[in-house]
């Protein structure tokens, strides 16, 4: 391949969503038993034996924030624990959103699914962590106790987040699933972030992207709050 | 379809100041600072829908951005589709859920907000409107006795309030006996069964309505038979996970039946109340069948309708086409040049050649041969076709020379369409790829015509990258520079300005923000490089500042372009210059303020207590981690802004003090305390690149506790890390 221009090289680097190479290990779904099932992703056979599945139900977004369903109907599963996932780009949720989401979860349970709880997928920036913690406190207060609350988190929360905000989060959420990827690729330098995750105060799982590169950082397994991996399944192109 | 975008992890963001995010080679995850990502040009890297908006602007003169949004604040670049859409319309006051709730008729009605209730097929969205129409038709129908009207109306009201619980409703229609009343009653039974998803029974009730005296009722019942059949088809197409199953697992017979009922309705009511909707639902049927060719043809027809210039483009059609066609990257049936171009560009994405060999990212590479085969569809848009030929050469086969022959130089224009502009910018990329000595002059010649939204930013980024590659980027801060964009100028100040340029920008930078950033960097760098005399002189430039109070002191400053994020905010906040101002460091324990500390160090750079106080200032004022950078293996220390040598680290000051025979007992205790605290709370160093073994950390603790038991520095510490 001919060397490409600086710009094309930058573009290439950009589209590869990472800068370095060298982790030969790739995430293969059959090696794991907890997954995210996103909208538009055809469920792969691995889901039939899964322990836990985080199923994207819809999103709350826009101004004013509105609910947008992303799944045709409720799942009808029998095996795994199911989390109802709601993606959002705002903390300005309408009144009654927690109750409405609980009703949706009730509907899923009514279909025979084992609903563990609700997961909120929000890219809360480290510098907005305090605000997010307050939002989650309000949400937890309105969510019936029969549902657990899970959130997705970013790797630099621990390194750079306000410790007081992290303690506040701990009071509201049952777990954090830390995302280690952007787009389709593992975030470069993830080992470094995990060095700073030592002593993370909240039960956490580590979110991996299917086909992404992953070598388990040293010491991760010894972390008292580490509870395993969740693999983000990718769509297959027809 | 979203582009593969590297969003938003603020790497190694330090507290209050000193934010530094050099995660990737060029600018970190958030922003690539590459002209390819500037959004004002057609590009494989764009979100498909962003390319769509640009192409529709060329075709019909539709809007790309609201003029008010363009005039307000900073014009963003490298932004996602979401931001592009938001900037199509002016932000209105009270843009919050509560503020706008009433405008949307949502007050007090959470049900309609979450109209799609779990477990059902999303049928309830027509419930409210349907109830209102029912009322009107019932009222107007003289054939229904008044007493029956009351019963029917009450019962419709029951369904209207509890659509999601329709299965549990027991309708009481016993008093309805007249023939026309019975027709309404059948319709009502059908409605309840429809919302309860008892679809075959619902169909029976709607059929039993037959030909009523009310034309509304007769037609609506016929249409409801189609909606019932369509719901049945949907139901037969859903998998275990509530997803739409692969086409080969869908109930094709039910889909065919729904289409037949739809056609029946349209034959009976070619200009009926619901005929537009029935025609539009042809696309739903085609989608359920997996019939992309029919979909492609349908979207092509829709896009061929001219739109009003200056208005917002037809986002609904565009997003539907994007959702239904592009994921398969199958352009079967597509004859529309805009839609074809969007698909073609997606297929020119680089993807991940090492790990995604099947190109699940973006479909098979678009070949020159295939593109030639599309020529007839681009007859009305030869410039666009020429652009695509050149894009294929550049992005797929990487032949920049071909680009130069496909796209002649037409840089000097009063105004560019987006296609013309994209052609010239691609020519510029090719010149850069070939190392052409006229590349910079070419970029400069594009500037006068780059007047449409987001165009100028693309050219400025290209010039910035050109000069950066040539190692002369500092000249872009001089008078007469072509770079007007405040964020690019700030980027140069942050990454490329040396001590002299920082000092110059601190007094004569283009904006107050740029002057403050330059001064903040200058002063922090001077302290980290032991330029104490210069610090004392330059510190006077800060002038009087008010000190933040209470919780404001802990605000996470996002003054740096490393934090630039068009999704959250467009303009960065001010750097915490107040830490260097009078009164900004009077709160340090056992130390004078930074002016006095720096003055002492200017007289004697090795003075022990002032050095500890400098470290204390760094610790308390958010300057830890200055110059730390991840080089692919680990954190290394690098000079920022071209100051000679490596920046100092607190841990080195403590080690030097502990090694010095001149250090007093109090200074030793202080240094031990702070060196131990470096590793709080989890054993990771926060005061420099230091991988000291735990034994060393423990020994410091034991020394502090045994040698200086009376010192407040020993009493204050209960453990080590």
């Amino acid at each position: 391949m001919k060397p490409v221009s600086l710009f094309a090289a930058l573009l290439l680097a950009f589209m590869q969503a990472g800068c370095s190479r060298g982790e030969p290990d790739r995430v293969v779904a059959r090696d794991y038993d907890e997954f995210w099932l996103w909208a538009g992703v055809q469920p792969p056979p691995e889901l039939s034996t899964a322990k836990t599945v985080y199923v994207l139900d819809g999103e709350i977004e826009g101004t004013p924030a509105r609910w947008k369903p992303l799944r045709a109907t409720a799942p009808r599963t029998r095996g795994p624990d199911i989390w109802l996932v709601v993606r959002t780009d705002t903390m300005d949720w309408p009144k009654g959103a927690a109750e409405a989401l609980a009703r949706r979860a009730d509907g899923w349970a009514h279909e025979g699914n084992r609903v563990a709880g609700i997961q909120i997928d929000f890219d809360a920036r480290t510098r907005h962590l305090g605000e997010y913690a307050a939002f989650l406190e309000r949400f937890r207060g309105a969510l019936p106790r029969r549902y657990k609350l899970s959130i997705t988190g970013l790797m630099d929360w621990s390194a750079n987040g306000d410790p007081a905000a992290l303690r506040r989060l701990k009071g509201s959420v049952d777990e954090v699933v830390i995302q280690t990827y952007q787009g389709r690729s593992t975030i470069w330098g993830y080992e470094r972030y995990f060095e700073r995750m030592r002593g993370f105060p909240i039960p956490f799982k580590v979110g991996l992207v299917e086909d992404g590169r992953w070598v388990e950082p040293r010491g991760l397994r010894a972390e008292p709050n580490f509870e395993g991996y969740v693999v983000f399944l990718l769509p297959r192109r027809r | 379809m979203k582009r593969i975008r590297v969003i938003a992890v603020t790497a190694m963001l330090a507290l209050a100041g000193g934010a530094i995010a050099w995660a990737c080679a060029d600018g970190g995850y958030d922003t690539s600072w590459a002209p390819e990502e500037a959004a004002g040009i057609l590009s494989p890297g764009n979100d498909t829908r962003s390319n769509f908006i640009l192409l529709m602007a060329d075709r019909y003169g539709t809007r790309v951005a609201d003029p008010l949004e363009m005039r307000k604040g900073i014009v963003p670049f490298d932004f996602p589709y979401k931001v592009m859409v938001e900037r199509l319309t002016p932000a209105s006051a009270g843009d919050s859920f509560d503020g706008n709730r009433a405008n949307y008729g949502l007050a007090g009605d959470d049900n309609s907000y979450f109209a799609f209730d779990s477990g059902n097929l999303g049928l309830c969205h027509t419930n409210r409107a349907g109830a209102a129409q029912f009322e009107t038709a019932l009222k107007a129908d003289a054939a229904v006795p008044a007493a029956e009207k009351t019963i029917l109306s009450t019962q419709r009201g029951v369904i209207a309030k509890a659509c999601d619980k329709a299965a549990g409703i027991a309708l009481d229609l016993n008093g309805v006996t007249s023939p026309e009343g019975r027709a309404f009653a059948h319709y009502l039974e059908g409605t309840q069964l429809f919302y309860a998803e008892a679809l075959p029974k619902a169909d029976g009730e709607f059929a039993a309505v037959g030909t009523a005296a009310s034309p509304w009722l007769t037609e609506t019942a016929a249409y409801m038979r189609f909606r019932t059949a369509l719901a049945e088809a949907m139901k037969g197409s859903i998998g275990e996970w509530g997803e739409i199953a692969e086409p080969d697992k869908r109930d094709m017979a039910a889909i065919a039946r729904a289409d037949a009922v739809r056609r029946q309705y349209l034959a009976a009511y070619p200009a009926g109340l619901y005929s537009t909707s029935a025609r539009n639902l042809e696309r739903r049927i085609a989608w359920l069948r997996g019939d992309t060719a029919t979909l492609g043809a349908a979207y092509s027809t829709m896009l061929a309708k001219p739109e009003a210039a200056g208005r917002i483009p037809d986002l609904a059609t565009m997003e539907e086409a994007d959702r239904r066609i592009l994921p398969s990257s199958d352009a079967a049936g597509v004859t529309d040049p805009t839609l074809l171009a969007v698909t073609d560009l997606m297929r020119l994405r680089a993807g991940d050649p090492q790990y995604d060999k099947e190109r699940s990212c973006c479909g098979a590479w678009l070949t020159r041969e295939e593109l030639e085969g599309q020529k007839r569809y681009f007859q009305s848009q030869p410039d666009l076709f020429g652009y695509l030929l050149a894009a294929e050469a550049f992005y797929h086969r990487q032949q920049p020379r071909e680009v130069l022959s496909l796209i002649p130089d037409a840089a000097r224009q009063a105004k560019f369409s987006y296609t013309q502009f994209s052609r010239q910018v691609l020519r510029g990329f090719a010149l850069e790829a070939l190392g052409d000595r006229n590349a910079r002059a070419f970029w400069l010649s594009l500037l006068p015509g780059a007047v449409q939204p987001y165009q100028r930013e693309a050219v400025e980024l290209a010039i910035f990258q050109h000069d950066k590659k040539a190692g002369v980027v500092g000249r872009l801060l001089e008078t007469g520079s072509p770079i007007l964009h405040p964020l690019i100028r700030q980027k140069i100040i942050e990454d490329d300005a040396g001590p002299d340029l920082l000092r110059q920008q601190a007094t004569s930078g283009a904006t107050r923000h740029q002057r403050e950033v330059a001064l903040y960097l200058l002063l922090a760098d001077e302290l980290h490089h032991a330029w104490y005399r210069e610090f004392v002189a330059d510190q006077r430039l800060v002038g009087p500042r008010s000190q933040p109070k209470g919780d404001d002191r802990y605000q996470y400053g996002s003054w740096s372009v490393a934090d630039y994020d068009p999704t959250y905010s467009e303009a960065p906040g001010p750097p915490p210059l107040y830490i260097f101002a009078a009164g900004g460091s009077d709160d340090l324990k056992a130390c004078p303020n930074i002016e006095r500390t720096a003055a002492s160090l200017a007289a004697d750079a090795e003075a022990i207590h002032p050095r500890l106080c400098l470290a204390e200032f760094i610790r308390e004022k958010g300057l830890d981690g200055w110059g730390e950078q991840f080089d692919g293996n680990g954190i290394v220390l690098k000079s920022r802004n071209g100051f000679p040598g490596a920046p100092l680290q607190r841990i080195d000051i403590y080690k030097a003090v502990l090694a010095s025979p001149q250090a007093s007992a109090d200074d030793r205790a202080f240094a031990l305390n702070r060196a131990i605290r470096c590793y709080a709370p989890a054993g990771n160093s926060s005061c420099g690149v230091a991988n000291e073994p735990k034994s060393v950390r423990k020994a410091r603790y034991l020394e502090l506790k045994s040698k200086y038991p009376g010192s407040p520095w020993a009493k204050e510490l209960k453990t080590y890390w």
Side-chain angles (χ1 to χ4, degrees):
Chain A
M1 198 159 80
K2 262 186 94 170
V4 291
S5 73
L6 170 68
F7 292 154
L10 282 173
L11 178 67
L12 200 69
F14 178 79
M15 311 225 7
Q16 288 166 355
C19 314
S20 81
R21 294 272 164 233
E23 299 104 10
D25 287 12
R26 302 184 66 182
V27 175
V28 179
R30 65 170 176 275
D31 298 340
Y32 296 85
D33 59 4
E34 302 195 44
F35 302 98
W36 271 297
L37 181 63
W38 232 232
V41 179
Q42 283 300 321
E46 286 81 10
L47 284 189
S48 59
T49 53
K51 187 173 90 182
T52 312
V53 185
Y54 296 80
V55 184
L56 180 65
D57 184 32
E59 60 192 9
I60 295 178
E61 62 158 26
T63 313
R66 294 188 141 264
W67 169 255
K68 185 172 153 202
L70 294 169
R71 188 151 296 276
T73 67
R76 291 178 171 82
T77 63
R78 291 297 172 268
D81 284 343
I82 302 285
W83 291 78
L84 186 153
V85 184
V86 53
R87 182 171 73 184
T88 188
D89 64 356
T90 173
M91 287 185 249
D92 190 12
W93 281 20
K95 288 186 192 74
E99 292 83 352
L101 284 173
R103 279 202 298 278
R104 295 184 67 77
D106 289 346
W108 286 24
H110 182 72
E111 295 291 340
N113 300 292
R114 289 191 3 199
V115 185
I118 286 172
Q119 183 181 62
I120 297 174
D121 177 39
F122 176 63
D123 279 349
R125 300 318 172 72
T126 304
R127 62 177 176 270
H128 295 302
L129 211 49
E131 211 182 317
Y132 191 41
F135 165 83
L136 289 169
E137 269 170 21
R138 291 193 301 275
F139 183 81
R140 174 72 268 184
L143 185 70
R145 298 312 300 187
R146 63 182 173 279
Y147 294 119
K148 286 195 256 187
L149 177 58
S150 170
I151 58 171
T152 59
L154 299 180
M155 288 192 288
D156 72 337
W157 279 7
S158 185
N160 303 308
D162 173 9
L166 276 180
R167 278 196 301 277
R168 263 183 97 173
L169 277 184
K170 189 183 175 185
S172 325
V173 307
D174 295 285
E175 62 166 32
V176 180
V177 188
I178 303 286
Q179 289 163 319
T180 62
Y181 55 89
Q182 294 288 357
R184 293 168 172 267
S185 304
T186 304
I187 290 170
W188 166 90
Y190 65 86
E191 311 90 331
R192 175 69 200 179
Y193 288 102
F194 276 97
E195 270 182 41
R196 302 208 179 184
M197 278 211 48
R198 261 178 257 164
F200 192 71
I202 309 166
F204 70 97
K205 293 175 182 171
V206 173
L208 307 176
V209 63
E210 185 178 14
D211 291 350
R213 302 176 294 278
W214 181 255
V215 179
E216 187 170 282
R218 258 176 317 174
L220 176 61
R221 221 155 259 275
E223 275 299 307
N225 280 323
F226 174 64
E227 298 192 334
Y229 292 107
V230 182
V231 173
F232 186 92
L233 297 167
L234 291 179
R236 298 277 168 263
R237 187 166 284 278
R238 286 192 288 276
Chain B
M1 204 178 161
K2 289 211 171 107
R3 69 177 182 188
I4 306 136
R5 188 159 192 275
V6 188
I7 42 167
V9 167
T10 312
M12 316 280 167
L13 176 75
L15 290 175
I20 179 166
W22 299 340
C24 279
D26 193 80
Y29 287 113
D30 288 49
T31 304
S32 67
W33 302 93
E36 276 85 355
E37 308 306 326
I41 50 164
L42 299 169
S43 154
N46 270 357
D47 191 298
T48 45
R49 297 164 296 182
S50 300
N51 283 334
F52 217 115
I53 289 177
L54 299 182
L55 287 167
M56 292 303 263
D58 281 0
R59 192 168 171 182
Y60 298 126
T62 50
R63 192 187 278 182
V64 169
D66 183 83
L68 282 175
E69 287 292 301
M70 291 301 290
R71 282 202 293 273
K72 171 195 105 182
I74 287 172
V75 175
F77 44 79
D78 192 0
F79 51 85
Y81 172 70
K82 188 179 110 169
V83 172
M84 196 170 199
V85 168
E86 279 169 7
R87 292 176 58 88
L88 276 170
T89 46
S92 62
D95 249 353
S96 67
F97 181 79
D98 286 331
N100 274 351
R101 204 175 159 89
N103 297 344
Y104 283 75
L106 290 172
D109 186 4
D110 290 323
N111 256 346
S112 65
Y113 178 77
F114 278 84
F116 176 98
D117 282 284
S118 70
N120 71 32
L121 292 161
L123 304 176
C124 283
H125 66 277
T126 55
N127 175 37
R128 293 292 171 106
Q133 288 171 25
F134 182 91
E135 283 297 324
T136 309
L138 184 63
K139 210 176 266 180
D141 194 338
V144 184
E148 294 189 9
K149 278 187 182 173
T150 309
I151 299 173
L152 288 162
S153 172
T154 309
Q155 296 300 306
R156 185 62 184 89
V158 171
I159 303 175
K161 286 198 196 78
C163 180
D164 54 328
K165 297 182 184 72
I169 296 173
L171 292 175
D172 180 5
L173 297 164
N174 283 335
V176 181
T177 53
S178 73
E180 183 72 358
R182 286 305 306 155
F184 274 98
H186 281 302
Y187 178 85
L188 220 46
E189 301 273 11
T191 304
Q192 185 232 329
L193 292 163
F194 173 77
Y195 289 130
E197 291 182 29
L199 299 170
K201 281 187 187 165
D203 184 59
E205 294 292 339
F206 289 131
V209 171
T211 306
S214 160
W216 178 87
L217 184 62
T218 311
E219 183 184 347
T220 305
Y223 181 66
M224 285 308 291
R225 295 194 69 187
F226 161 56
R227 277 198 66 201
T228 306
L230 184 61
E232 191 74 50
M234 285 292 291
K235 212 171 176 176
S237 302
I238 284 166
E240 183 189 2
W241 293 88
E243 84 287 3
I244 300 293
E246 297 277 13
D248 59 353
K249 290 181 190 137
R250 298 177 193 165
D251 183 347
M252 286 297 165
I255 297 167
R257 185 168 171 278
D259 196 34
V261 182
R262 186 183 72 89
R263 286 169 194 276
Q264 265 167 34
Y265 167 80
L266 278 172
Y269 300 96
L273 292 169
Y274 314 103
S275 44
T276 307
S277 146
R279 280 194 194 96
N280 284 339
L281 283 164
E282 182 194 13
R283 300 201 301 279
R284 176 83 61 89
I285 301 271
W287 172 62
L288 283 173
R289 281 183 169 138
D291 179 358
T292 49
T294 297
L295 280 177
Y299 296 127
S300 297
T301 308
M302 290 161 81
L303 292 172
K305 283 196 199 114
E307 294 190 49
R311 300 288 291 276
I312 292 171
D314 180 1
L315 298 178
T317 300
M318 186 191 91
E319 289 180 2
E320 187 184 314
D322 191 78
R323 203 166 56 235
R324 297 247 161 110
I325 295 191
L326 294 188
S328 63
S329 67
D330 178 359
V334 176
T335 54
D336 183 78
T338 305
L339 193 46
L340 265 181
V342 168
T343 316
D344 287 348
L345 279 173
M346 182 181 77
R347 292 176 55 195
L348 289 174
R349 288 179 183 169
D352 186 335
Q354 193 175 350
Y355 285 126
D356 183 17
K357 291 199 172 63
E358 61 275 20
R359 288 183 58 83
S360 63
C361 62
C362 27
W365 276 111
L366 177 73
T367 64
R368 169 75 180 234
E369 196 186 6
E370 210 181 337
L371 192 52
E372 296 281 7
Q374 298 175 357
K375 189 170 181 178
R376 63 200 157 115
Y377 302 121
F378 287 100
Q379 261 162 5
S380 62
Q381 302 203 32
D383 277 1
L384 176 57
F385 189 65
Y387 167 77
L388 289 170
L389 288 173
E392 189 280 329
F394 188 77
Y395 293 107
H396 178 206
R397 285 180 291 115
Q398 291 158 13
Q399 298 296 325
R401 234 170 263 288
E402 265 185 51
V403 174
L404 299 186
S405 57
L406 283 162
I407 301 178
D409 184 339
R412 284 167 209 284
Q413 306 283 334
K415 182 184 180 181
F416 292 103
S417 74
Y418 285 96
T419 305
Q420 291 166 346
F421 182 67
S422 305
R423 286 165 61 92
Q424 294 305 309
V425 170
L426 186 57
R427 185 180 166 87
F429 291 162
L431 292 173
E432 291 286 357
L434 293 164
D436 191 295
R437 55 161 55 185
N438 291 319
R440 191 176 197 272
F442 178 81
W443 291 125
L444 289 171
S445 69
L446 283 177
L447 280 173
V451 293
Q452 294 215 65
Y454 311 128
Q455 290 182 339
R456 185 177 176 101
E457 289 69 34
V459 183
E460 289 198 11
L461 282 171
I463 295 167
F464 166 66
Q465 291 293 356
H466 179 95
D467 280 5
K468 202 167 170 67
K469 187 174 156 192
V472 291
V473 74
R475 69 177 170 181
L476 292 173
L477 296 176
E478 290 166 9
T479 315
S481 161
I483 304 295
L484 306 180
H485 199 289
L487 290 181
I488 306 176
R489 293 184 74 98
Q490 187 181 336
K491 170 95 176 145
I492 297 167
I493 293 170
E494 287 189 38
D495 292 2
D496 301 292
D500 294 339
L501 194 49
L502 279 183
R503 191 173 293 114
Q504 185 257 336
Q505 286 292 306
T507 51
S508 56
T511 63
R512 180 187 164 98
H513 184 70
Q514 287 166 39
R515 293 191 291 275
E516 299 215 328
V517 166
L519 183 54
Y520 180 79
L521 287 167
L522 178 68
L523 295 173
D525 271 322
E526 284 170 346
L527 286 182
H528 279 91
H529 291 273
W531 289 27
Y532 305 118
R533 212 178 309 276
E534 290 81 354
F535 176 87
V536 169
D538 292 329
Q539 189 262 344
R540 295 190 187 105
L541 295 173
V542 176
R545 300 265 160 171
S546 63
Q547 294 298 321
K549 290 189 182 69
D551 282 349
D552 286 351
R553 284 177 300 148
Y554 303 107
Q555 264 183 359
Y556 290 71
S558 51
W559 55 270
S560 166
V561 288
D563 278 342
Y564 163 65
D565 177 354
T567 315
Y568 281 78
S569 68
E570 288 158 11
L577 259 183
Y578 55 82
I579 64 172
F580 298 113
S585 52
D586 292 344
D587 54 347
L588 300 179
K589 262 188 201 164
C591 288
N593 61 30
I594 191 63
E595 299 98 297
R596 288 177 52 197
T597 293
S600 306
L601 289 167
D604 175 7
E606 301 300 316
I608 286 176
H609 194 70
R611 291 190 77 198
L612 285 173
C613 287
L614 172 62
E616 198 62 7
F617 178 78
I618 290 171
R619 175 178 187 264
E620 288 291 331
K621 301 298 172 185
L623 291 170
D624 273 331
W626 197 259
E628 283 187 11
Q629 201 178 347
F630 193 73
D631 75 346
N633 297 309
I635 295 279
V636 293
L637 206 54
K638 289 207 173 168
S639 166
R640 294 177 79 162
N641 305 103
F643 276 73
L648 62 81
Q649 312 190 97
R650 285 202 287 127
I651 189 70
D652 293 332
I653 294 180
Y654 304 137
K655 279 155 86 171
V657 169
L658 293 172
S660 165
Q662 276 102 48
S664 69
D666 196 46
D667 285 338
R668 288 188 65 85
F670 187 22
L672 284 167
N673 176 296
R674 289 300 185 243
I676 293 161
R677 284 202 167 277
C678 277
Y679 292 89
N684 301 312
S685 163
S686 59
C687 53
V689 182
N691 291 313
E692 297 174 302
K694 196 149 188 183
S695 56
V696 171
R697 285 131 61 182
K698 184 179 179 181
R700 282 182 191 142
Y701 183 71
L702 295 177
E703 184 186 347
L704 177 63
K705 287 291 187 184
S706 60
K707 281 200 187 160
Y708 312 101
S711 158
W713 303 115
K715 285 180 181 157
E716 181 264 350
L717 208 57
K718 304 276 179 257
T719 184
Y720 67 96
W721 294 270

